[in-house]
Amino acid sequence: MAFEKIDHVGIAVPDLDAAVAAYERLTGLRPAHRQAVETDGVEAVMFEVGESRIELLGSTRADSKIAGFLAKRGGGLHHVAYGVADVQQSLDELAALGLRLLDTCPRRGAAGRLVAFLHPSAGGGVLTELCQPDRGAAGS
Ligand code: CO
């Protein structure tokens, strides 16, 4: 099962409000969506750019999912997210190919989507996210 599109590009930032202002200037757009994902200690802001999106990620606590990344790199390209029809099926197929997974089953991400991550070794050093719209959730 092939990837269908690049759903979004995730960028980790040390100051979310400053980054939102910068991306408003850069893109001429307003954010479409803002949501804290408590389980990850992350707050995500989505800019819709045509069919794709930019996801700005800020850390909300010291042990968040991106705290280590921010400490090491100070921010920047964090992940590339691909849209797939079925995250679980894609994970199973990629695992069968010997790729290293960070999630063996999908979980709920921002904007009511089912998401899962592959280890950066699968994507040339960049974290890979798989995502699929959750038909049971409200919103996008
Ligand atoms: Co993402």
Side-chain angles (χ1 to χ4, degrees), residues 8 55 79 81 117 129:
H8 65 270
E55 176 182 52
H79 63 272
F117 287 89
E129 176 182 344

Side-chain angles (χ1 to χ4, degrees), residues 8-82:
H8 65 270
V9 172
I11 298 169
V13 300
D15 182 332
L16 189 56
D17 288 330
V20 168
Y23 271 79
E24 284 179 343
R25 275 198 307 276
L26 175 67
T27 64
L29 300 166
R30 308 287 286 182
H33 195 266
R34 181 168 185 146
Q35 182 183 353
V37 180
E38 291 301 337
T39 49
D40 289 350
V42 162
E43 191 170 16
V45 175
M46 283 287 190
F47 284 81
E48 294 181 345
V49 186
E51 287 192 342
S52 193
R53 303 181 293 163
I54 296 289
E55 176 182 52
L56 302 178
L57 296 167
S59 181
T60 60
R61 57 171 198 256
D63 65 342
S64 74
K65 283 251 181 188
I66 62 168
F69 181 93
L70 286 171
K72 197 158 71 177
R73 305 200 203 183
L77 177 63
H78 183 260
H79 63 272
V80 176
Y82 298 91

Side-chain angles (χ1 to χ4, degrees), residues 1-7 82-86 131-133 135:
M1 185 167 52
F3 293 172
E4 296 176 345
K5 64 173 183 175
I6 293 177
D7 184 89
Y82 298 91
V84 299
D86 186 320
C131 67
Q132 146 193 0
R135 282 154 186 79

